[in-house]
Amino acid sequence: MAKYLLLKHYRGAPAAVNDVPMDQWTPEEVSAHVKYMQDFAARLESTGEYVDGQALSPEGTFVRYDGEGRPPVTDGPFAETKDLIAGWMVIDVDTYERALELAAELSAAPGAGGKPIHEWLEVRPFLTEPPTITE
């Protein structure tokens, strides 16, 4: 089994087919989307393929070290120019093809008008330990 991170980008990925921003959805559309995500996670939990997942708030700051005794450096107040990750899910599956299959299914979560979003999801494998070399 291999773990994969499925990243749901709100900004920074190619545009979805149903590209209406979530803040323009009705409360019923948001509820249907959340229910789809919960049902998807529950189904994967029952097969042992679900590890974890979370929705993320749009607030976030890039930060870096700026030297001993100096305060951290942050990226400034320009949030609208940054990629925005709306949420993530970690899955543990047998093959890369299965990871792609599940990501594609997750991409069909309903959005505005109850129609599938067809959003682009980023699929990233977890790093594994490097092979041990013996002589």
Side-chain angles (χ1 to χ4, degrees):
M1 303 274 286
K3 288 187 174 77
Y4 291 87
L5 176 65
L6 308 181
L7 287 172
K8 295 175 61 71
H9 291 267
Y10 191 74
R11 213 178 24 238
V17 173
N18 185 358
D19 197 24
V20 178
M22 188 179 251
D23 62 359
Q24 295 176 23
W25 297 0
T26 66
E28 294 80 18
E29 292 165 342
V30 172
S31 293
H33 181 80
V34 170
K35 182 173 179 356
Y36 182 98
M37 301 291 291
Q38 291 169 336
D39 291 348
F40 183 83
R43 186 169 52 82
L44 294 187
E45 201 166 27
S46 73
T47 64
E49 295 174 305
Y50 179 81
V51 177
D52 197 8
Q54 294 292 322
L56 300 172
S57 79
E59 295 82 29
T61 302
F62 283 102
V63 62
R64 71 171 173 81
Y65 177 75
D66 197 37
E68 190 65 39
R70 298 178 61 127
V73 176
T74 60
D75 66 339
F78 307 108
E80 66 280 356
T81 65
K82 293 192 288 191
D83 290 353
L84 176 61
I85 297 172
W88 55 270
M89 184 177 288
V90 175
I91 58 175
D92 195 357
V93 295
D94 288 327
T95 65
Y96 176 69
E97 290 73 22
R98 178 65 175 154
L100 294 179
E101 177 185 322
L102 292 174
E105 185 178 339
L106 190 57
S107 164
K115 297 178 184 170
I117 298 172
H118 296 277
E119 67 183 324
W120 289 93
L121 297 178
E122 185 176 354
V123 178
R124 303 212 33 204
F126 280 35
L127 283 176
T128 58
E129 289 190 38
T132 303
I133 300 172
T134 58
E135 295 188 41

